[in-house]
Amino acid sequence: MKAIHYSRNGGPEVMEFGELPDPQVGPDTVLIAVEWVSIEGGDLLNRQITPPAQVPFVPGYQAAGTVAATGSEVTRFRPGDKVVGFHWNGSHAELFAVQEHHAFAVPEGLDLRLAATVPIPFGTAHDALFEYGGLKPGETVLVQGAAGGVGLAAVQLAAQAGASVIGTASSPERLARIAPFGMHHGIDYRREDIASRCKDLTGGKGIDLVLDLAGGKGKDALMDAVRPHGRYAVVGASSGDLPSFGFFELIRKALHVYGISLGRDMHTPRARAMIEDLLARVAAGSLEMPIDAEFPLAEARRAHEHVATAHPFGRVLLRAR
Ligand SMILES: NC(=O)c1ccc[n+]([C@@H]2O[C@H](COP(=O)([O-])OP(=O)(O)OC[C@H]3O[C@@H](n4cnc5c(N)ncnc54)[C@H](OP(=O)(O)O)[C@@H]3O)[C@@H](O)[C@H]2O)c1
């Protein structure tokens, strides 16, 4: 198969395009003939900082396509089925091997391009808001990094659940594009003071639930923005800087801080039901994910560069065939 691979961490230039052996089909494997790869925020972070688990390493968490083969123990899928799959690596290729519990049927009528974007961003946002965040109607949620994949998913899910949604992005133009997805108030994180805007917008009370997708130094502003006894979801570090929390900061505010790792939950019946419901909502048009750009698989370097530098709105895709 043709695949993108790398052997050391670094920028997009460490990625090569070439021929690699096809993935092995184990008893529980669903082998996907990939049509569309969704470039996830974590794909870039891994390439930059996570030592490759094996070399050559094929990056990528998520892709959609048609089932090409199934292992002897697979009961839910057959060759020819349309699926979207998750694995810890391997999506940037013509063939993507996922375990059966990490494969999800694409509902009738849902375009594979859009299906490729669903499980991780929407599932992560849903878990951070509801399963672990306990968001209730009428509460205020702050989404740091609202123009990205997880951010746009969170804005829509929170607004549709009756929350008041505040989002941050890097410019007024980007904030204006997020508003129609359900965001009630936007904050330009480069030019505005997040904490004081949040205090004003909540009548001095502070934010009930913070979703931190960006990490880094911005977390201090989010710490100031959240109310005492509020909740703080540690989801990602798209700013490129890893956040660190002060022990006494947590005590002073009596904060509930929780980490999210959808990959750890995705094999469970609970997460399957959630992701199937999210796929159905996207198929019905009540949730959406804008596609910012598409590149051929062979041009993954250019695609990753675009994600890192061009401030895409929503998702960037690779076309594998
Ligand atoms: N824990 C999990 O299970 C899980 C699952 C999925 C993703 N993640 C992580 O969550 C993060 C977001 O993922 P994604 O797929 O949504 O990424 P994405 O689509 O690349 O979006 C990242 C967003 O972060 C914003 N951003 C960058 N630097 C920022 C800063 N200093 N302050 C505020 N916002 C900033 C960007 O906004 P502007 O363009 O407007 O600057 C961009 O919209 C990534 O770190 C990813 O690894 C974690």
Side-chain angles (χ1 to χ4, degrees):
M1 67 169 181
K2 291 271 195 300
I4 296 295
H5 57 89
Y6 57 81
S7 299
R8 63 187 165 88
N9 294 122
E13 71 284 353
V14 300
M15 296 192 293
E16 304 289 344
F17 176 67
E19 195 69 37
L20 286 183
D22 290 355
Q24 305 240 321
V25 177
D28 69 343
T29 299
V30 173
L31 186 67
I32 304 173
V34 175
E35 291 181 37
W36 295 100
V37 180
S38 167
I39 301 179
E40 298 299 310
D43 296 343
L44 273 70
L45 209 57
N46 278 339
R47 193 199 64 236
Q48 287 165 312
I49 64 170
T50 312
Q54 68 275 337
V55 293
F57 183 83
V58 179
Y61 284 117
Q62 184 163 279
T66 305
V67 176
T70 53
S72 55
E73 293 172 5
V74 172
T75 57
R76 211 181 280 127
F77 301 101
R78 285 184 309 189
D81 288 350
K82 304 286 184 204
V83 291
V84 53
F86 160 85
H87 192 55
W88 298 99
N89 55 68
S91 77
H92 286 37
E94 289 177 330
L95 292 170
F96 182 31
V98 306
Q99 290 172 286
E100 182 178 15
H101 59 227
H102 284 155
F104 303 90
V106 173
E108 199 61 41
L110 177 57
D111 183 7
L112 278 179
R113 289 164 77 248
L114 203 48
T117 69
V118 175
I120 295 173
F122 285 98
T124 301
H126 200 282
D127 264 6
L129 291 168
F130 306 113
E131 178 69 14
Y132 297 104
L135 184 67
K136 295 176 213 57
E139 286 194 315
T140 303
V141 60
L142 171 63
V143 181
Q144 169 85 320
V150 180
L152 283 169
V155 166
Q156 294 172 76
L157 292 169
Q160 290 179 22
S164 171
V165 183
I166 304 173
T168 73
S170 54
S171 70
E173 294 73 29
R174 286 171 76 70
L175 291 168
R177 291 183 73 185
I178 305 168
F181 289 80
M183 186 179 72
H184 301 98
H185 305 282
I187 301 176
D188 177 342
Y189 71 77
R190 286 185 170 164
R191 293 164 193 85
E192 295 185 89
D193 182 330
I194 296 175
S196 67
R197 280 291 316 279
C198 287
K199 287 265 148 56
D200 289 347
L201 291 168
T202 57
K205 176 183 161 217
I207 300 293
D208 296 302
L209 171 61
V210 164
L211 255 57
D212 188 1
L213 312 177
K217 299 172 187 72
K219 71 108 175 87
D220 296 329
L222 306 187
M223 277 286 193
D224 286 345
V226 69
R227 69 168 166 82
H229 290 287
R231 291 100 76 201
Y232 189 119
V234 181
V235 182
S238 57
S239 70
D241 291 322
L242 301 184
S244 64
F245 289 99
F247 190 78
F248 286 110
E249 282 175 279
L250 306 187
I251 295 172
R252 249 194 311 272
K253 277 224 163 153
L255 274 195
H256 302 254
V257 177
Y258 57 99
I260 291 293
S261 177
L262 179 68
R264 285 198 173 274
D265 286 30
M266 225 189 227
H267 64 284
T268 62
R270 176 198 67 81
R272 169 165 298 279
M274 168 186 73
I275 290 168
E276 287 174 349
D277 178 58
L278 292 166
L279 280 160
R281 289 167 71 180
V282 175
S286 55
L287 294 172
E288 52 181 308
M289 181 59 68
I291 308 292
D292 182 89
E294 300 169 3
F295 294 82
L297 179 63
E299 293 182 26
R301 280 184 183 179
R302 214 155 61 79
H304 274 223
E305 190 66 39
H306 181 84
V307 175
T309 60
H311 293 274
F313 189 73
R315 275 288 175 256
V316 175
L317 301 183
L318 295 172
R319 191 175 56 252
R321 59 189 73 231

